[in-house]
Structures are given as C-alpha cells and as structure tokens.
Amino acid sequence: MKFKTGLKLASVVFVSTFILTACGSEDTTSSTESDKLEDGHYILEEKNFDDNGWSVVFNMTTEGGKITESDYDYVNSDWDLKSKDAEYQKIMEEKVGTGPIEYIPVYNKALVDKQDPSSVEVISGATHSHDLFVEYAQQLVDAAAEGKTETIEIDN
C-alpha cells in the first residue's frame, strides 16, 4: 500500500515539474522573439510648435534587433535645438532645478541602455518632457517592431 502511494506521489511531482518547466521555457522563448526590432532608422516629428515655440523631433536607430541610437530633442522655427539653448536652460534651471541640456541626453541614453521606454526614469523638473519621451519612444519602438520606417507625424 505504501509503495502505491509513494509511486502516485512521485508521478504527480514528476508530471508537475515537467509541465512547469515546459511552460516556463516556452514563455521565455516567445517573449524574446516578440521583442526583436527590425533594423532601420525611425523618425517621429510633432507638426506644431508648443506655447514656448518648441516642437519634438525624435530619431531612433535599431541594429541587430536593438535600439542603438536615440536622438530626442526639440527644435524651434529656426531649427535650433532646445538641448543647446543656454538661455532656455537658465530659465528652466531657475524654475525647476534642471534643464534640457541635462535631462535630454539622460533620457536618450536611458532608452539605449534599457531598451524599454517604460523603464526610463523621470528626472525631477522634467516630468512633461519625460511623459512625451516615453509616449513617443514607444511609438517608435512599435514602428520598429513592424519595420515601418515612415515618419510618424504627431498633430500636437
């Protein structure tokens, strides 16, 4: 009697282990394949300028299925970059303690390092830019997953 009970228990443990192992490895494989990005250059641009006279231009490059370059910035009507505007930096630093010269490169580097827009951490004082960055980066990642290299235009 003890032998049959032991055999049943061993069978249940063996089958359970086999099923859990099979399910676990299947999930890992499928998520890796679905996360692969098509190699290319992807662009997103806002069509209009905001109240401060800036418009987002975001370029992302993928190679080997990964994000290799992220170039998120804002331009004005003269195509000057916000990340190079010392006067805007000064005004923003005085108001919130940071400015585009500091946070824009951090957001770009974080996207390349983390490979996931939602993993890019917010910098205090640059919350609005962070929210746009994450939203727009996700749109570019989605385009790269499908290999759609047409410029994404945002009617902001």
Side-chain angles (χ1 to χ4, degrees):
M1 189 70 142
K2 285 184 179 183
F3 177 74
K4 285 185 178 181
T5 304
L7 186 58
K8 286 180 185 177
L9 181 60
S11 296
V12 169
V13 169
F14 175 76
V15 170
S16 297
T17 303
F18 179 77
I19 290 171
L20 289 173
T21 302
C23 290
S25 64
E26 183 179 330
D27 288 344
T28 303
T29 304
S30 65
S31 68
T32 302
E33 290 171 7
S34 66
D35 292 342
K36 188 167 174 108
L37 304 176
E38 296 291 323
D39 291 356
H41 186 73
Y42 302 90
I43 303 168
L44 179 146
E45 297 177 350
E46 289 182 333
K47 291 166 73 171
N48 308 297
F49 295 101
D50 65 18
D51 293 339
N52 295 315
W54 298 100
S55 179
V56 171
V57 177
F58 197 160
N59 296 283
M60 184 183 80
T61 302
T62 56
E63 292 177 15
K66 296 186 178 225
I67 301 166
T68 56
E69 292 180 48
S70 174
D71 184 17
Y72 166 85
D73 212 326
Y74 296 76
V75 294
N76 62 19
S77 60
D78 294 328
W79 280 86
D80 297 325
L81 297 174
K82 187 187 258 189
S83 64
K84 306 279 186 210
D85 189 320
E87 184 62 30
Y88 191 87
Q89 173 73 19
K90 181 180 173 189
I91 292 167
M92 210 173 150
E93 270 184 330
E94 289 171 359
K95 286 185 178 180
V96 296
T98 191
I101 292 172
E102 297 159 350
Y103 68 77
I104 287 176
V106 172
Y107 288 158
N108 282 316
K109 183 179 182 324
L111 181 60
V112 174
D113 290 348
K114 297 184 184 275
Q115 298 290 306
D116 177 10
S118 65
S119 295
V120 174
E121 294 180 20
V122 67
I123 295 172
S124 180
T127 304
H128 178 71
S129 290
H130 173 267
D131 294 346
L132 282 179
F133 179 87
V134 170
E135 178 185 339
Y136 292 169
Q138 188 61 57
Q139 289 186 44
L140 290 171
V141 166
D142 292 346
E146 297 179 23
K148 293 184 177 180
T149 56
E150 300 84 16
T151 297
I152 299 169
E153 292 185 344
I154 304 295
D155 189 9
N156 52 322

